[in-house]
Amino acid sequence: MESSAAENCNDVNNNESSSQSQTSTCMQKFRLYETRSNFYMIGRDKSRTYWRVLKIDRLDPTELNIREDSTSYTEGECFELLRRIHEGNKSTGGLKFVTVCYGIVGFIKFLGPYYMLLITKRRQIGAICGHNVYAVSKCEMIPLPNSTVNSSLADSKNENRYKKLLCTVDLTKNFFFSYSYHVMCSLQENLYNSEPDQVAYETMFVWNEFLTRGIRNHLQNTLWTVALVYGFFKQATLSVSGRDFKLTLIARRSRHYAGTRYLKRGVDEKGRVANDVETEQIVFEDVPDGLPTQITSIVQNRGSIPLFWSQETSRLNIKPDIILSKKDQNYEATRLHFENLVERYGKPIIILNLIKTQEKKPRESILRQEFANAIDFINKDLSKENQLRFLHWDLHKHSRGKATNVLLFLGKMAAYVLTLTGFFYCRVTSALRPEECMAWPYSENIGDGDMSPTKYCNNVNEDANRLEGNYSGDNNVANGNHSVKPPTIQSGVLRTNCIDCLDRTNVAQYAYGLAALGHQLHALGIKDTTEIDLDDPLADELMDLYERMGDTLAHQYGGSAAHHKIFSERRGQWRAATQSQEFFRTLQRYYSNAYMDAEKQDAINVFLGQFQPQPGKPALWELDSDQHYRGRNGLTIVDEDGRSLFKRSFSDGNILRQTGSPMSATNDKQEKFTNSTMPDRSQGGSNGLSDSSPEISTCESDISYSRCTPSMPRRQLFGDMQRDHCLETDHIFFYEHGDAFNCSNFVDLDWLSSSGNSCEDEPFESYLQVISPYELSSCWTFIGECCQWNFGRNNPIL
């Protein structure tokens, strides 16, 4: 009887209005019901005018059988259907209500049945142009089989362990989503993107892409699922001269090569780096109805140094040696990484490298030298306008002086970078209706729909003129008032890194955000100038936002809050107290990395589908390090598209000692960028390193450079770089105030350094000099207590 009743829900013929409604309406609230053989999910839009039904089979626990009713119902029709289903199933218990939910996170299978992950509570955390953005407050994991079927399945120890492992991925912390706004994309991408919603899930910033793949493939739509972005989202109302504006700070973490600090370092074979985070700063004037007339955004990027390198997790050494691999001597993975950045953001790509230049025991300086070699090697094949632009600047050394000097230096650099990349600005028409699925009205009229950065950024003026006609629905414009600013487009990106891309990187990203904020407020007509002084209260408010973002990202990747020495000094906090706090954060991070990260990495791999359990195969916790998706026992690891990457081997020791699998063939898009922007040298010269690359001596093996690499003079580091390979000027700029390793090919460092006094005017004191004996004796107790939150062992939330 149930089947015939359910069939009736497909008897109503579809019409054009219902199909059009499906593409423009977002379902935001759902009710889950169950019978013995099926789940029924009822979804509706915010206005309660659009109702749909989804049926999920419960009798076959090993297969995902989902069927969507093609009919759009009214509320009354929908509940009449449920009544009929209940009547048809009275003999087996009828139809029972299970829960209210706000979207499907996905489906997952371990060794037994499928489970459904649902958001059962949410909270609003912001809105962009009237499109609400939510965080997850509570979620549940529900097995699909009914109790009779489920009891016949072996409730094995490993099955329960996998469930507990998945539950440690706390979706209530730093995951966010929107029903109607593509929060996984930047504002500029949203305005230009003509791709359907289905494709949006396959971007690098949707963390439940794997979990939703099954239902999306079955239904060919995303009406029932939510796309979860992981990182940071904060919206604040700020004020300048009595005019309020909304500032939204978003950090999107990539799901590619994702993980924890010591287990995910450097780059993988496809050019994807660890801790890859896109930061977007959106500004618009605060208006009562939430629909601004103007909006602006700026995007920047952080990510691990794109080389093959690692650090072994050690419980004995708080600073493990850095191990650098020579397997990619033509820097193909590095090249792929920068090609990807060009595809995402356009040109130019500007690299701000903040790691140390000289050390008593070489660690960071090893990567500094090799990164410089890689950039030099790649730039030799590029035309002047396509070259990577770089600034190598030792922030740690210069932070020994006044924090103001560091921020002034970075601020001047940021202001200059903004002249190269620009930022996004446009007027918003009233046709952008809030709380309906993303259908930006003007994007349909732009060109042929192919608006990737490399295309639309080639002719910014042409696009801006075209956009101006589409955005300017203002009557003043129609009457000949030309005071309205034309739209502008960001082309290119600033990519910042230190070693972990956490602490020093966050300081630099704040400086860039402050410089950009001045331009954004000026474009909106809120400020008369483009500059914001460091003493302006607005600078302090923005610093607080970036400090919170830095702490959040540091917890996710490193296991502790970020180090804020420069921020703390800028606020005038007592230096001894600041250094004491920094010391304890160092110990907390060490504890997390040494004792917590392995299990945390396992949970991430299961959630992202990087590891998929199989009966009769070794369990995840029986394998060795998964760095670069490698381990042992012959288990297949799959990438985000479900393809087999390579088999795990029995090789012990550091995985970078193994011979990697061949580089994946580039797709058509990559080949296009390779030909136009970064020519392929893999078939070229016989030497893996460029002519200007130094010989790096080794002591213990051919890959461990951490003990015996001497520092190099600048002429050896960039000895053969030709003048015609430099950008903007005729030479490489070196900082002449005691640090020959500070160099840039696009900006004069002497000009930048003129913003402050010498950076050498204050000695740097060791953390240990300000830690009392009592603090040292109690630090391990403190760290143990502080790290209880890190993995949620005692408080699973799914």
Side-chain angles (χ1 to χ4, degrees), residues 484-509:
V484 176
K485 298 181 180 67
T488 61
I489 291 173
Q490 178 177 345
S491 174
V493 74
L494 174 66
R495 182 202 192 274
T496 306
N497 74 268
C498 47
I499 284 294
D500 299 322
C501 304
L502 298 177
D503 310 320
R504 288 166 282 181
T505 294
N506 207 57
V507 172
Q509 289 208 324

Side-chain angles (χ1 to χ4, degrees), residues 663-689:
M663 294 295 295
S664 302
T666 56
N667 57 27
D668 293 339
K669 283 188 177 181
Q670 288 172 323
E671 289 178 358
K672 176 178 67 175
F673 286 104
T674 300
N675 293 333
S676 64
T677 309
M678 297 183 180
D680 188 4
R681 283 284 297 268
S682 61
Q683 305 297 326
S686 59
N687 294 329
L689 302 178

Side-chain angles (χ1 to χ4, degrees), residues 324-326 656-657 696-705:
L324 180 65
S325 171
K326 277 186 175 180
L656 292 177
R657 293 184 173 87
I696 302 181
S697 61
T698 62
C699 292
E700 298 177 348
S701 70
D702 63 340
I703 63 159
S704 181
Y705 305 156

Side-chain angles (χ1 to χ4, degrees), residues 250-526:
I250 307 173
R252 306 175 180 96
R253 299 183 66 88
S254 173
R255 65 183 169 88
H256 296 154
Y257 201 48
T260 56
R261 184 183 178 208
Y262 284 151
L263 297 177
K264 295 295 178 185
R265 288 294 215 192
V267 69
D268 72 1
E269 284 84 354
K270 292 187 177 182
R272 301 174 300 200
V273 296
N275 202 25
D276 190 337
V277 183
E278 176 182 275
T279 302
E280 182 176 22
Q281 182 173 293
I282 301 176
V283 180
F284 56 87
E285 191 165 10
D286 191 19
V287 289
D289 60 0
L291 292 174
T293 58
Q294 304 174 87
I295 191 167
T296 176
S297 76
I298 186 76
V299 171
Q300 54 182 317
N301 175 265
R302 69 171 76 182
S304 189
I305 297 172
L307 302 169
F308 287 103
W309 63 281
S310 67
Q311 283 179 282
E312 295 282 4
T313 304
S314 172
R315 298 184 179 183
L316 301 177
N317 185 359
I318 201 168
K319 283 191 173 183
D321 291 340
I322 289 175
I323 301 174
L324 180 65
S325 171
K326 277 186 175 180
K327 73 176 184 178
D328 189 20
Q329 295 189 358
N330 284 328
Y331 302 111
E332 288 305 309
T334 309
R335 187 191 306 274
L336 284 174
H337 173 68
F338 287 117
E339 286 176 359
N340 177 262
L341 288 182
V342 171
E343 185 174 357
R344 285 156 58 187
Y345 303 112
K347 297 172 286 188
I349 302 300
I350 301 166
I351 303 160
L352 176 58
N353 181 24
L354 301 174
I355 62 178
K356 298 177 184 177
T357 58
Q358 294 175 319
E359 302 164 289
K360 293 180 180 179
K361 176 182 177 180
R363 295 179 67 257
E364 294 187 15
S365 55
I366 299 166
L367 294 176
R368 170 65 170 270
Q369 295 161 4
E370 190 69 3
F371 195 18
N373 293 338
I375 296 171
D376 182 18
F377 185 83
I378 293 171
N379 273 346
K380 283 182 180 295
D381 290 331
L382 302 180
S383 61
K384 179 178 178 180
E385 61 272 13
N386 289 330
Q387 284 186 337
L388 302 172
R389 310 187 186 199
F390 60 84
L391 169 58
H392 296 288
W393 193 68
D394 187 342
L395 187 147
H396 182 269
K397 177 178 179 179
H398 293 86
S399 67
R400 298 175 185 179
K402 294 181 179 179
T404 302
N405 293 340
V406 173
L407 294 174
L408 287 174
F409 179 95
L410 292 172
K412 289 187 71 173
M413 179 277 304
Y416 183 68
V417 169
L418 282 167
T419 67
L420 302 179
T421 65
F423 60 95
F424 182 71
Y425 163 83
C426 73
R427 294 185 62 80
V428 180
T429 70
S430 58
L432 181 56
R433 294 163 294 182
E435 289 307 311
E436 293 195 3
C437 289
M438 183 62 68
W440 302 84
Y442 22 73
S443 62
E444 299 173 359
N445 302 321
I446 300 176
D448 57 5
D450 180 12
M451 299 305 295
S452 60
T454 52
K455 180 171 183 178
Y456 69 66
C457 292
N458 287 336
N459 197 339
V460 174
N461 291 332
E462 179 182 345
D463 286 331
N465 293 333
R466 189 186 299 119
L467 278 167
E468 186 174 3
N470 290 321
Y471 284 111
S472 56
D474 198 303
N475 292 331
N476 292 333
V477 178
N479 294 332
N481 185 347
H482 298 289
S483 62
V484 176
K485 298 181 180 67
T488 61
I489 291 173
Q490 178 177 345
S491 174
V493 74
L494 174 66
R495 182 202 192 274
T496 306
N497 74 268
C498 47
I499 284 294
D500 299 322
C501 304
L502 298 177
D503 310 320
R504 288 166 282 181
T505 294
N506 207 57
V507 172
Q509 289 208 324
Y510 159 71
Y512 189 69
L514 183 63
L517 181 59
H519 287 269
Q520 290 175 292
L521 294 177
H522 179 70
L524 296 175
I526 296 177

Side-chain angles (χ1 to χ4, degrees), residues 1-11 35-38 40 55 59 67 80-95:
M1 183 66 180
E2 177 185 358
S3 60
S4 61
E7 291 293 338
N8 290 334
C9 64
N10 294 309
D11 290 341
T35 64
R36 185 175 181 181
S37 56
N38 290 292
Y40 291 92
K55 185 172 98 172
L59 296 179
R67 184 176 181 183
E80 172 61 21
L81 172 65
L82 293 178
R83 186 191 65 78
R84 286 155 46 200
I85 294 175
H86 175 69
E87 291 293 330
N89 288 272
K90 277 189 174 181
S91 62
T92 57
L95 186 72

Side-chain angles (χ1 to χ4, degrees), residues 87-375:
E87 291 293 330
N89 288 272
K90 277 189 174 181
S91 62
T92 57
L95 186 72
K96 299 176 182 178
F97 172 74
V98 179
T99 185
V100 171
C101 62
Y102 298 92
I104 298 175
V105 174
F107 295 84
I108 192 167
K109 181 180 184 295
F110 306 118
L111 301 173
Y114 270 94
Y115 301 87
M116 176 167 53
L117 279 68
L118 301 176
I119 296 173
T120 53
K121 287 186 180 180
R122 68 183 184 188
R123 64 186 185 279
Q124 185 179 341
I125 56 176
I128 300 174
C129 293
H131 296 262
N132 290 339
V133 180
Y134 299 93
V136 180
S137 295
K138 185 180 179 182
C139 56
E140 294 183 18
M141 183 165 63
I142 300 174
L144 290 193
N146 62 47
S147 57
T148 304
V149 176
N150 202 27
S151 62
S152 64
L153 299 171
D155 210 12
S156 68
K157 180 180 178 181
N158 282 357
E159 177 78 6
N160 290 332
R161 186 166 177 179
Y162 279 121
K163 287 193 290 185
K164 290 179 180 179
L165 188 65
L166 184 69
C167 287
T168 60
V169 179
D170 193 343
L171 298 183
T172 67
K173 291 184 178 178
N174 314 131
F175 283 90
F176 50 94
F177 65 96
S178 175
Y179 299 104
S180 54
Y181 181 80
H182 291 165
V183 74
M184 74 290 292
C185 302
S186 68
L187 181 68
Q188 180 168 301
E189 279 185 282
N190 277 320
L191 291 173
Y192 282 110
N193 187 15
S194 60
E195 299 291 342
D197 289 357
Q198 186 81 349
V199 177
Y201 276 70
E202 297 171 8
T203 62
M204 62 193 297
F205 299 118
V206 177
W207 273 57
N208 60 331
E209 186 278 331
F210 165 73
L211 296 176
T212 60
R213 191 181 300 164
I215 184 173
R216 288 185 293 112
N217 289 342
H218 271 79
L219 306 181
Q220 293 300 304
N221 67 51
T222 57
L223 286 173
W224 303 90
T225 58
V226 296
L228 292 180
V229 180
Y230 184 43
F232 177 83
F233 185 101
K234 180 65 178 177
Q235 190 167 76
T237 302
L238 306 177
S239 180
V240 173
S241 302
R243 294 183 64 180
D244 292 341
F245 65 92
K246 292 281 190 183
L247 189 147
T248 307
L249 189 60
I250 307 173
R252 306 175 180 96
R253 299 183 66 88
S254 173
R255 65 183 169 88
H256 296 154
Y257 201 48
T260 56
R261 184 183 178 208
Y262 284 151
L263 297 177
K264 295 295 178 185
R265 288 294 215 192
V267 69
D268 72 1
E269 284 84 354
K270 292 187 177 182
R272 301 174 300 200
V273 296
N275 202 25
D276 190 337
V277 183
E278 176 182 275
T279 302
E280 182 176 22
Q281 182 173 293
I282 301 176
V283 180
F284 56 87
E285 191 165 10
D286 191 19
V287 289
D289 60 0
L291 292 174
T293 58
Q294 304 174 87
I295 191 167
T296 176
S297 76
I298 186 76
V299 171
Q300 54 182 317
N301 175 265
R302 69 171 76 182
S304 189
I305 297 172
L307 302 169
F308 287 103
W309 63 281
S310 67
Q311 283 179 282
E312 295 282 4
T313 304
S314 172
R315 298 184 179 183
L316 301 177
N317 185 359
I318 201 168
K319 283 191 173 183
D321 291 340
I322 289 175
I323 301 174
L324 180 65
S325 171
K326 277 186 175 180
K327 73 176 184 178
D328 189 20
Q329 295 189 358
N330 284 328
Y331 302 111
E332 288 305 309
T334 309
R335 187 191 306 274
L336 284 174
H337 173 68
F338 287 117
E339 286 176 359
N340 177 262
L341 288 182
V342 171
E343 185 174 357
R344 285 156 58 187
Y345 303 112
K347 297 172 286 188
I349 302 300
I350 301 166
I351 303 160
L352 176 58
N353 181 24
L354 301 174
I355 62 178
K356 298 177 184 177
T357 58
Q358 294 175 319
E359 302 164 289
K360 293 180 180 179
K361 176 182 177 180
R363 295 179 67 257
E364 294 187 15
S365 55
I366 299 166
L367 294 176
R368 170 65 170 270
Q369 295 161 4
E370 190 69 3
F371 195 18
N373 293 338
I375 296 171

